[in-house]
Amino acid sequence: MGKKNGGTRLSKRAVAEALQGLFTASPNETFSLKYIFRALKLTTHPAKMLAIDALDEMCWDDYLSKVGDNQYRLNQKGQVQEGTFIRKANGKNTFLPDGGGTPIFVSERNSMFALNGDRVRVALMARREKHIKEAMVTDILSHKTDQAVGKLKVEKDFAFLITEGNIFVHDILIPKKKLKGGKDGEKAVVKITQWPSKESKNIVGEVIDVLGKEGDNNVEMHAILAQYGLPYKYPRHVEEAAMKIEPGITPEEIARREDFRDVWTCTIDPADAKDFDDALSIRSLSPTPGPSRWGEGSNYSAAQHTTPLPPAGGAGGGAVEANLFEVGVHIADVSHYVKENSVIDKEAQKRATSVYLVDRTIPMLPERLCNFICSLRPGEEKLCYSVIFTLDSEANVKAFRIVHTVIRSDRRYAYEEVQQILESGRGENALQLTTLDALAKKLRERRFKNGAVKFDREELHFDIDEEGHPTRAYFKKSTDATQLIEEFMLLANRTVAESIGATKTANSKSANSKPKKTFVYRIHDQPDPQKLEALRQVVAPFGYKLKTAGTKGAVSRSLNSLMDEAAGTKEQKLIETVALRAMMKAKYSTHNIGHYGLAFDYYTHFTSPIRRYPDTMVHRLLTRYQDGGRSANQAHYEELCEHASEMEQTAQNAERDSIKYKMVEFMADKIGEVYDGHISGIQSYGIYVEIDENHCEGMVPIHDLKGDYYEFDEAHYQLIGRRHHVKYQLGDPVRIKVARANLEKRQLDFTLADD
């Protein structure tokens, strides 16, 4: 290596790269200068001096450590890290260290063919002058998945799977005898049998399922699920185990529970829901004589009851006399039927959550359980785990108990029905519903006063025809009816968490001491300080102020004030987007840090065990502790929490992809049409625009922005023209024309209709 290119002297950069390769290939070895010269074939005095200079700089940069005289080794502390490899279609791969931190760039030649999501070990490379920090993959510790979904390309002598999203470096080679009947152009799921190596860059696999023709609705939805490693059908042996469960409730089981069958109870859910996992009951505890089942089956208005009750509607519910109410939050007792470590439990644990695509639900539990045995269907006796509250008319909790119950729901309501009753004050069981609404409004008002963050995000929904084709796109907004349910579920979840986490230990003096028992919490960390500061700088030019320091409550109240002030303005979307990016993701953990967004010191998920596995974990732990059991193994439950958090994020990604697909499908016959919209996202490669009429989102590529060369100002979320200084900023109104709808890539392309 003394010379190259026909005698040209070595550059210092070339020597540095050779040294990096030597040390990263043997990260635990110590090398002498003599060995380094020999290994790199540095025979001339200038080449050796270049190497010594490079070694000194690497030591100064903490990339290497000098051990004694003229001996060097890789500085393992901080220089060798483990984490996750993120593969990008544009080649800008990154390494995300365990425990978080700033992603580090990994060039393709230093990737060792790692795939997206793989766990890897990397060595940080010595930073070159005026270059970003880089890492080199030295080991692939484990692969994220051994399956891939894509389109088959079948030739005469061989076949390939062309994957979606370029998650693989190369297409997957499939031997012809491993096609399982798959034909050219069909979508299929492939299991990888051979990974890339230094000897062969090929990925080899075999077809395990042929999904069908591209463009078919079922095929495309199954492809999205398979892409994320999510199941799209239930294992037969699990279904068979569910069929053997005895649904009947014995007198002995009823005797062990509190009986709420004669207390007025209802479920309130979306109109198309089938799995009803929560119900509310209410009865008056005031001394006024009268039946506990208020006006059952009658058309009532709030004014007809002799006991003074909250008036329907209005912020805070209005003035109310000091009555006492018993409100029960009843949750399907899934853990009574699904025993720990049973085949059904193991499948539910693996799935961790139900997945909600645009046109279907992929349940965590078999249909016999989630839609029938456990579902709180009206007129049927059901087993529940309940939190029973005694509330005064200001929704203050005077007492509570967490008990196993048996209920019988009187009525199944859709949100729209309840909303109509709340707005009119009249309808079936209006008295109970308006009372619950008034109490929920008190709870909500107090929650925001205590520092909860207001983020009422609208959700995009589609009306779907019989073939699965979207016929209408619209935002589903939060209403009094949805907030009624939300507030009582939040109250139950918080109360359950406090019943374990806030219990004083024998030697403690405060309720905030270390919990005695292992428990599953839903935690949400405080916002990223740097991102909050970025938000403050973004909103300042618009005349808004934001506190970024102080107590948690002071910062969250300042955020809420900002949202209120910006509502209805041109910059609202910009502010909401940047504020959301400052928020951390909520997750599950046995280590409680509180829930910042809700302003709760203790919070858990107790209310949806039909669709979330952590809720089943919470039910089991509660039962264990109520029966006098010892604290559960924390390491085991923390591992389950990490898995549930990961699966929740995976399910959300699949749900978003199904929305993207339906969005493109909905717009596919509207090519050339012009719409008003606003800029909903900005990247270095273009601007995203959301159509005001139907909320579908597409991109205007930066090369289609005519008349200037545009530069990306990431800090202020805008593109700025270099010559004419025209700005495109988040939230700006624009008029677009639909240019392309690519279903395969789930991508909509727009052009600006005018400048």
Side-chain angles (χ1 to χ4, degrees):
M1 190 175 172
K3 293 184 179 182
K4 64 178 183 179
N5 296 334
T8 306
R9 287 184 181 276
L10 277 173
S11 68
K12 190 173 181 180
R13 175 180 171 181
V15 172
E17 288 181 352
L19 287 167
Q20 285 178 164
L22 175 66
F23 283 100
T24 54
S26 304
N28 298 312
E29 297 293 328
T30 299
F31 298 122
S32 67
L33 265 180
K34 186 176 180 181
Y35 178 86
I36 292 169
F37 294 156
R38 187 168 66 250
L40 300 187
K41 298 179 181 178
L42 303 176
T43 57
T44 66
H45 180 71
K48 291 177 180 179
M49 293 306 298
L50 277 178
I52 291 172
D53 286 346
L55 287 166
D56 287 343
E57 286 185 9
M58 288 177 172
C59 289
W60 180 83
D61 198 33
D62 283 336
Y63 179 74
L64 297 179
S65 295
K66 194 169 184 179
V67 184
D69 292 334
N70 300 327
Q71 289 195 317
Y72 302 85
R73 66 177 295 142
L74 190 68
N75 185 2
Q76 292 268 18
K77 186 178 179 181
Q79 299 300 323
V80 176
Q81 298 183 21
E82 294 182 1
T84 305
F85 183 83
I86 309 298
R87 175 167 290 285
K88 299 289 181 64
N90 59 8
K92 295 181 179 179
N93 310 317
T94 55
F95 166 76
L96 188 62
D98 286 343
T102 305
I104 302 167
F105 173 69
V106 181
S107 67
E108 187 58 44
R109 61 192 172 91
N110 291 325
S111 72
M112 249 183 93
F113 310 112
L115 305 177
N116 190 54
D118 287 355
R119 276 194 53 73
V120 297
R121 182 180 293 120
V122 304
L124 301 189
M125 301 173 70
R127 188 180 301 200
R128 305 196 325 249
E129 189 177 355
K130 296 181 181 179
H131 281 71
I132 61 173
K133 196 173 188 178
E134 290 189 47
M136 174 189 293
V137 176
T138 59
D139 293 286
I140 297 175
L141 304 176
S142 63
H143 290 289
K144 168 73 172 176
T145 182
D146 63 352
Q147 288 187 191
V149 64
K151 188 164 61 174
L152 291 172
K153 180 69 174 175
V154 181
E155 303 287 354
K156 182 179 178 181
D157 300 318
F158 54 85
F160 288 99
L161 184 81
I162 303 169
T163 57
E164 299 170 2
N166 296 318
I167 61 168
F168 292 97
V169 190
H170 306 286
D171 296 331
I172 300 172
L173 177 65
I174 304 169
K176 291 290 288 285
K177 62 182 179 179
K178 298 291 185 179
L179 274 172
K180 204 176 180 179
K183 297 179 176 62
D184 187 60
E186 289 186 321
K187 289 206 165 182
V189 183
V190 166
K191 181 178 178 65
I192 296 169
T193 57
Q194 178 184 308
W195 296 96
S197 64
K198 291 180 180 178
E199 291 74 30
S200 172
K201 295 180 181 180
N202 288 329
I203 308 173
V204 181
E206 61 182 13
V207 174
I208 57 174
D209 198 6
V210 178
L211 298 177
K213 292 183 179 179
E214 186 178 30
D216 177 85
N217 184 64
N218 280 333
V219 170
E220 296 299 339
M221 293 301 106
H222 287 170
I224 288 171
L225 293 166
Q227 178 186 336
Y228 288 99
L230 296 168
Y232 45 90
K233 50 191 175 185
Y234 234 95
R236 182 177 297 176
H237 72 284
V238 181
E239 294 275 16
E240 290 172 351
M243 294 304 295
K244 295 176 182 177
I245 292 177
E246 175 55 52
I249 303 172
T250 65
E252 292 78 16
E253 186 60 40
I254 291 176
R256 285 193 285 267
R257 296 169 177 260
E258 283 200 34
D259 193 341
F260 275 77
R261 289 175 293 176
D262 289 330
V263 180
W264 184 85
T265 305
C266 74
T267 60
I268 307 174
D269 293 278
D272 58 353
K274 294 178 182 177
D275 55 341
F276 314 131
D277 53 10
D278 58 78
L280 292 178
S281 69
I282 185 170
R283 57 182 167 187
S284 174
L285 299 180
S286 65
T288 304
S292 64
R293 298 173 73 83
W294 298 332
E296 181 180 356
S298 304
N299 285 333
Y300 253 73
S301 71
Q304 287 177 294
H305 198 275
T306 54
T307 302
L309 291 171
V320 183
E321 293 188 19
N323 298 314
L324 291 179
F325 305 95
E326 182 188 78
V327 176
V329 179
H330 306 283
I331 309 302
D333 194 356
V334 170
S335 60
H336 173 82
Y337 297 101
V338 181
K339 301 305 180 184
E340 198 164 5
N341 295 321
S342 65
V343 292
I344 298 174
D345 182 56
K346 288 177 180 176
E347 182 69 21
Q349 185 184 112
K350 184 169 69 174
R351 294 177 178 231
T353 180
S354 294
V355 184
Y356 295 89
L357 303 188
V358 167
D359 66 338
R360 70 195 65 202
T361 298
I362 295 83
M364 183 183 77
L365 297 172
E367 185 179 4
R368 177 171 160 79
L369 280 168
C370 67
N371 289 353
F372 295 97
I373 294 177
C374 295
S375 184
L376 307 183
R377 290 145 57 99
E380 299 179 9
E381 293 182 352
K382 296 292 181 180
L383 300 181
C384 288
Y385 212 165
S386 307
V387 189
I388 312 300
F389 296 99
T390 299
L391 302 173
D392 65 16
S393 53
E394 293 298 312
N396 296 306
V397 178
K398 297 299 184 181
F400 74 89
R401 61 190 187 276
I402 304 170
V403 290
H404 289 89
T405 60
V406 57
I407 72 163
R408 185 178 66 246
S409 173
D410 294 273
R411 178 72 151 80
R412 180 263 162 119
Y413 287 98
Y415 285 128
E416 293 79 7
E417 293 179 273
V418 173
Q419 186 62 28
Q420 189 174 7
I421 291 171
L422 296 181
E423 289 175 358
S424 67
R426 304 188 65 84
E428 189 176 348
N429 305 118
L431 178 64
Q432 292 92 325
L433 294 171
T434 52
T435 302
L436 287 167
D437 180 53
L439 294 170
K441 284 186 167 72
K442 296 287 186 183
L443 291 169
R444 186 175 176 85
E445 181 183 13
R446 190 178 305 131
R447 186 161 58 85
F448 288 130
K449 187 176 180 181
N450 289 339
V453 181
K454 292 180 184 176
F455 275 122
D456 289 332
R457 297 292 289 175
E458 298 169 320
E459 296 180 359
L460 183 61
H461 287 258
F462 294 90
D463 287 341
I464 304 291
D465 65 19
E466 292 180 357
E467 283 78 43
H469 183 76
T471 58
R472 183 170 78 99
Y474 60 96
F475 269 159
K476 187 172 281 189
K477 298 183 179 181
S478 180
T479 64
D480 285 347
T482 58
Q483 290 170 6
L484 184 162
I485 290 296
E486 178 185 26
E487 289 305 322
F488 282 108
M489 297 306 117
L490 292 175
L491 179 62
N493 287 333
R494 185 188 71 186
T495 302
V496 166
E498 288 176 344
S499 74
I500 302 297
T503 303
K504 296 181 181 180
T505 61
N507 299 321
S508 71
K509 295 182 180 180
S510 73
N512 292 322
S513 59
K514 185 178 180 180
K516 289 191 298 185
K517 294 181 170 69
T518 296
F519 202 60
V520 172
Y521 297 96
R522 181 70 169 176
I523 62 172
H524 184 221
D525 208 349
Q526 297 182 52
D528 185 315
Q530 291 182 328
K531 291 182 179 179
L532 269 184
E533 176 58 26
L535 173 61
R536 189 192 66 78
Q537 292 180 15
V538 166
V539 303
F542 296 104
Y544 299 108
K545 293 182 179 180
L546 174 69
K547 286 185 179 179
T548 59
T551 64
K552 288 191 291 185
V555 173
S556 58
R557 281 190 287 272
S558 181
L559 270 170
N560 288 342
S561 296
L562 173 63
M563 298 299 168
D564 290 340
E565 290 175 35
T569 64
K570 168 181 169 290
E571 62 271 11
Q572 179 182 357
K573 292 288 183 182
L574 166 64
I575 292 171
E576 286 179 347
T577 301
V578 183
L580 271 174
R581 289 177 183 173
M583 296 292 117
M584 297 295 190
K585 282 187 172 67
K587 61 182 181 178
Y588 299 104
S589 178
T590 59
H591 306 286
N592 180 53
I593 60 169
H595 196 294
Y596 177 83
L598 296 173
F600 292 159
D601 291 331
Y602 299 90
Y603 189 64
T604 190
H605 274 169
F606 167 81
T607 53
S608 294
I610 286 178
R611 62 185 180 89
R612 296 187 305 225
Y613 194 75
D615 302 57
T616 302
M617 292 157 59
V618 166
H619 282 216
R620 287 176 179 155
L621 289 172
L622 279 173
T623 302
R624 176 190 183 118
Y625 298 150
Q626 286 179 341
D627 291 343
R630 294 194 303 178
S631 182
N633 183 297
Q634 185 172 20
H636 171 66
Y637 273 90
E638 184 63 24
E639 187 177 332
L640 291 175
C641 285
E642 289 176 3
H643 173 68
S645 298
E646 181 181 336
M647 291 305 295
E648 176 186 49
Q649 186 60 53
T650 300
Q652 288 173 356
N653 291 339
E655 290 160 20
R656 278 195 285 267
D657 270 11
S658 79
I659 290 171
K660 285 180 187 176
Y661 185 87
K662 291 300 174 188
M663 200 185 289
V664 177
E665 188 180 6
F666 180 71
M667 297 298 295
D669 60 355
K670 299 171 178 60
I671 305 299
E673 294 188 16
V674 175
Y675 295 92
D676 289 322
H678 60 270
I679 296 175
S680 55
I682 293 188
Q683 296 292 337
S684 59
Y685 47 82
I687 61 175
Y688 287 92
V689 177
E690 181 186 306
I691 296 173
D692 294 335
E693 177 184 317
N694 57 36
H695 310 290
C696 291
E697 186 181 62
M699 189 184 74
V700 180
I702 196 166
H703 56 71
D704 283 349
L705 297 176
K706 307 299 183 185
D708 209 337
Y709 178 83
Y710 288 90
E711 295 179 333
F712 180 39
D713 180 357
E714 188 173 6
H716 296 92
Y717 300 90
Q718 58 188 11
L719 289 176
I720 305 174
R722 182 181 290 177
R723 286 185 297 164
H724 305 300
H725 308 294
V726 173
K727 293 181 182 178
Y728 291 101
Q729 188 168 38
L730 213 59
D732 283 352
V734 289
R735 192 163 175 80
I736 59 90
K737 180 186 288 185
V738 182
R740 289 171 294 277
N742 189 323
L743 273 170
E744 188 174 352
K745 294 183 177 180
R746 302 173 199 138
Q747 183 175 305
L748 273 176
D749 284 341
F750 299 153
T751 57
L752 292 181
D754 57 59
D755 291 326

